[in-house]
């Protein structure tokens, strides 16, 4: 699904900082989860909030096992619907003020599903559907791990909400969904598999409770990148959601679900200064480019604002971005106070910074600069943003 | 310089999350530094990286004491030059690959100044100016507080760099500049005044050293929001730079240079869920809206990802955004475990979140929604972004 243009320039022709996407690494990452899903007879509904880019999403779809997409904003829903994706789960708890935009998308033919986790919002959605004479498609958000939002599978409100939606002639209860966000805090394969099973089994239990009450609940939707890669069977699950796996990042490497050599995103920066008295090197990649995400802070290896590679993606010893201001990155050693290898950090030279969190770093840019195995620029893919 | 449109809607008509700019608070903040500068016979070169918006910058210029602007990217230079600002300091260390873009702006009539802090980059700039037959205007970056980049006033390299630039018929040595970034770590007025004096006095000393060597050094440029507001005289200083003072933020309140009631920016969010068992409220304002900046973490009052106000800008007890995922904010109490005042946090209701760091939060949005004292929407001002 790639359409390489005539843009076959080298990295040194780019304006720094910019966001590089290693196409072969990304394709390998996409294939990895697609293969895992195929082996489990599973279906993916990829979360495109990480990429916000139709070309990346087309690559995911081309790899197979995909049925629909997941978005985090109605703006993403508009963008992907305009680019031909019509089966969309908006996976952030709906607020009533957003229902006019939901209704508008639905009327234009988008098969949009919304999520909620309270009786009050369920009643507001039913009232809105009746008022607007539009069908609102609803999934009930489950709390499978105490991470954030959702109702527990054994909470009485689960059935109350299901009944409110199912009893409305203007609403459709699509099913239940959850996101095991606590997987980001797992540190070994055993705890990750346990959490993935918990995410799956509590979701199936919730659907079974609803069905036992005589209410149809066709869809059971689960997922996060760590649990999707760890899960051992999907019997009873109809779809799996994940987004970061396409690129991976240092946080995912810290959880153990990828190696740093598999991370497909990096920020290209230029060296602007040496501060040898303080054993620092300064670059033009500050937090405006890297984001303020410090997701590796609590992990075994803290990479600061990112790990430092040379322009050909080879790690430069143990160097990290130890500090960042808006347009300055400060590079130092992570694990020692030895002098920096300044000969590998020449003034004006290029470096690549691996991101802590792919979603956050990518969001700082309006496009991916797509590079091939030889670090030639082969395309530029724009990203959407906003709400 | 404001041109209110016909967009006089209420906050409830807005799509959340969005970025609110309180016009009266901003004007008061702008006037405060303009008055301080007037009282010291000082001149401002405002740093527009915080606002990235021509309307905000026109408000700053209209308040007086302004001569030129400061930018943090060449993209900002292009944007503000296109909107009529022609005297621009690009205050991030230049790298040789960016000199073609600098030369292009200069040839089109932009009075653009670049900064550098090494002999190597100075030589590259001289060679580039000769090759392109364009005048590069150069300021030497000083390290006045060990914060980041720059040469110390007493470093021999200061004179070496000055000579390289001054000896080139194709370059102009404009002067010296520094940024006392360590002011962000000050916690009382006494240490702040001491740092402001150090920033001023070391910069003047650097200029005097250059002049004593027979080299013209007309400009002495200093500044950060805390030191600009603290400084007691400006004899020997030709310009002061500051950016955040226009909006202020929780970090500035923590330093003591403003009160939280003076912060002119907030993010409008909607309540999407209650998690009463965990004493949390969920909103649609996650880190994509608030940024990942945790600048108050090391301060006396840690506001998490931001302080919570009601829609009319009144603080809601001690509530803060204690956690954030991409499109979810988690609200809890900062200083106690008492139950949340859920009646003030109704499902679907609006809240305003004060930002830790105005530069970072504003960068997550493409526009300011300008509101008046009565919380009516009176205009929308777009922001630029990128490199």
């Amino acid at each position: 699904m790639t359409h390489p243009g005539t843009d076959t320039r080298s990295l040194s022709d780019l304006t720094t900082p910019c966001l590089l996407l290693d196409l072969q690494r990304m394709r390998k990452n996409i294939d990895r989860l697609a293969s895992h899903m195929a082996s489990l007879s599973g279906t993916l509904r990829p979360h495109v909030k990480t990429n916000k880019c139709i070309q990346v999403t087309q690559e995911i779809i081309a790899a197979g096992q995909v049925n629909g997409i997941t978005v985090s904003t109605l703006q993403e829903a508009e963008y992907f619907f305009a680019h031909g994706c019509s089966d969309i789960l908006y996976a952030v708890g709906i607020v009533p003020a957003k229902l006019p935009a939901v209704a508008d998308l639905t009327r234009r033919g988008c098969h949009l599903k919304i999520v909620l986790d309270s009786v009050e919002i369920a009643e507001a959605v039913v009232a809105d559907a009746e008022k607007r004479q539009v069908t609102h498609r609803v999934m009930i958000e489950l709390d499978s791990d105490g991470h954030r939002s959702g109702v527990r599978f054994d909470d009485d409100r689960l059935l109350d909400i299901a009944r409110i939606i199912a009893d409305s002639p203007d609403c459709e209860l699509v099913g239940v969904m959850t996101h095991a966000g606590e997987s980001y805090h797992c540190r070994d394969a055993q705890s990750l598999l346990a959490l993935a099973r918990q995410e799956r089994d509590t979701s199936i239990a919730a659907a079974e409770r609803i069905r036992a009450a005589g209410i149809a609940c066709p869809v059971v939707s689960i997922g996060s990148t760590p649990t999707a890669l760890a899960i051992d069977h999907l019997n009873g699950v109809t779809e799996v959601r994940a987004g970061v796996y396409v690129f991976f990042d240092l946080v995912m490497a810290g959880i153990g679900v990828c190696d740093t050599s598999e991370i497909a995103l990096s920020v290209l920066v230029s060296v602007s200064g040496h501060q040898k008295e303080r054993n620092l090197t300064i670059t033009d990649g500050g937090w405006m480019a890297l984001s303020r995400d410090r997701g590796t802070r609590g992990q075994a290896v803290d990479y600061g604002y990112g790990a430092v590679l040379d322009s050909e993606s080879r790690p430069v010893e143990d160097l990290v971005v130890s500090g960042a201001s808006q347009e300055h990155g400060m590079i130092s050693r992570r694990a020692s106070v030895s002098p920096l290898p300044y000969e590998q950090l020449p003034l004006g030279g290029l470096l690549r910074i691996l991101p802590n969190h792919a979603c956050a770093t990518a969001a700082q840019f309006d496009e991916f600069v797509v590079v091939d195995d030889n670090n030639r620029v082969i395309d530029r893919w724009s990203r959407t943003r906003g709400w």
Side-chain angles (χ1 to χ4, degrees), chain A:
Chain A
M1 304 294 286
T2 320
H3 309 285
T6 52
D7 195 0
T8 53
R9 299 184 301 166
S10 70
L11 299 187
S12 57
D13 296 320
L14 298 168
T15 297
T16 57
C18 61
L19 181 65
L20 303 183
L21 169 54
D22 184 314
L23 186 61
Q24 301 317 317
R25 287 189 187 191
M26 181 186 80
R27 286 180 170 161
K28 196 173 149 223
N29 296 340
I30 289 173
D31 285 343
R32 179 176 158 200
L33 186 56
S35 300
H36 182 51
M37 288 296 110
S39 74
L40 302 178
S41 302
T43 299
L44 267 177
R45 180 182 288 280
H47 207 320
V48 298
K49 77 181 175 75
T50 311
N51 66 69
K52 295 192 182 228
C53 169
I54 188 60
Q55 289 93 338
V56 172
T57 299
Q58 285 169 342
E59 292 268 343
I60 300 171
I61 293 169
Q65 306 299 124
V66 172
N67 187 19
I69 62 171
T70 312
V71 301
S72 69
T73 67
L74 287 173
Q75 198 284 328
E76 288 168 35
E78 285 285 353
Y79 166 87
F80 284 99
F81 182 59
H83 286 87
C85 302
S86 56
D87 183 345
I88 301 178
L89 168 60
Y90 171 38
V92 174
I94 195 71
V95 292
K98 290 177 181 168
L99 290 171
V102 169
D104 186 51
L105 273 158
T106 299
R107 284 205 191 93
R108 284 184 281 141
C110 183
H111 202 279
L112 184 66
K113 289 160 272 285
I114 57 177
V115 310
L116 52 83
D117 67 358
S118 69
V119 165
E120 295 89 333
I121 299 277
E123 287 171 342
V125 166
V126 165
D128 186 87
E130 185 179 353
K131 183 179 109 185
R132 290 181 204 284
Q133 287 296 297
V134 67
T135 301
H136 285 320
R137 301 180 184 93
V138 175
M139 299 189 73
I140 302 175
E141 184 171 11
L142 304 171
D143 173 13
S144 61
D145 61 354
H147 173 63
R148 189 169 64 197
S149 35
V151 288
R152 286 176 52 91
F153 80 97
D154 54 0
D155 190 316
D156 286 345
R157 285 173 291 189
L158 175 69
L159 297 184
D160 296 340
I161 296 166
R163 259 189 218 102
I164 290 166
I165 301 300
D167 285 351
S168 164
D170 305 300
C171 288
E172 176 190 339
L173 182 64
V174 175
V176 293
M177 61 82 72
T178 194
H179 165 63
E182 288 301 299
S183 62
Y184 279 54
H185 303 299
C186 289
R187 294 293 175 267
D188 59 71
Q190 197 177 359
S191 63
L192 192 50
L193 178 58
L195 189 71
R197 288 171 170 168
Q198 176 181 310
E199 181 186 39
R200 176 193 63 204
D201 297 341
T202 56
S203 300
I204 295 169
E208 290 299 335
R209 277 194 78 203
I210 293 170
R211 292 165 188 155
I215 301 168
C217 181
V219 173
V220 177
S221 177
I222 65 173
S224 73
T225 283
T227 55
L229 289 163
I231 194 70
D232 52 350
H233 81 71
L234 291 170
N235 306 334
V237 170
T238 61
E239 63 184 38
V240 175
R241 305 185 322 279
V244 175
Y245 78 98
V246 170
F247 301 133
F248 284 131
D249 53 31
L250 293 168
V251 167
M252 289 294 128
I255 296 170
V257 298
C258 70
D259 186 80
T260 57
S261 65
E262 295 174 303
I263 298 172
L265 285 187
S266 60
V267 177
L268 187 72
V269 304
S270 297
V271 175
S272 60
H274 293 152
Q275 290 285 323
K276 293 186 178 176
E277 293 83 354
R278 283 178 284 145
N279 206 28
L280 285 177
T281 286
I282 313 290
T283 77
D284 62 1
W287 58 252
M288 188 65 83
L290 303 174
S291 91
R292 269 290 194 199
D293 197 283
R294 286 284 289 103
T296 57
R297 186 197 291 264
Q299 295 191 319
V301 179
D302 182 347
Y303 289 100
Y305 289 95
V308 178
L309 311 180
D310 67 17
S311 61
E312 295 180 359
S313 287
R314 294 172 297 225
V316 184
E317 302 185 11
D318 65 340
L319 270 50
V320 299
V321 181
S322 53
S325 44
Q326 186 159 337
E327 300 290 351
H328 296 80
M330 274 75 88
I331 288 177
S332 61
R333 289 190 181 276
R334 184 178 64 79
S336 91
V337 294
S338 310
L340 292 181
Y342 289 102
E343 71 290 352
Q344 294 182 63
L345 310 165
L347 290 170
L350 295 173
L351 298 170
R352 291 165 83 153
I353 312 299
L354 293 180
N356 278 328
H357 187 175
C359 303
T361 300
Q364 302 298 103
F365 294 89
D366 287 333
E367 66 174 13
F368 298 101
V369 178
V370 186
V371 296
D372 66 13
D373 274 349
N374 298 314
N375 292 311
R376 301 292 298 180
V377 177
I378 52 175
D379 217 336
R380 285 166 182 267
W381 293 345
S382 63
R383 290 171 48 89
T384 191
R385 77 186 222 114
W387 291 274

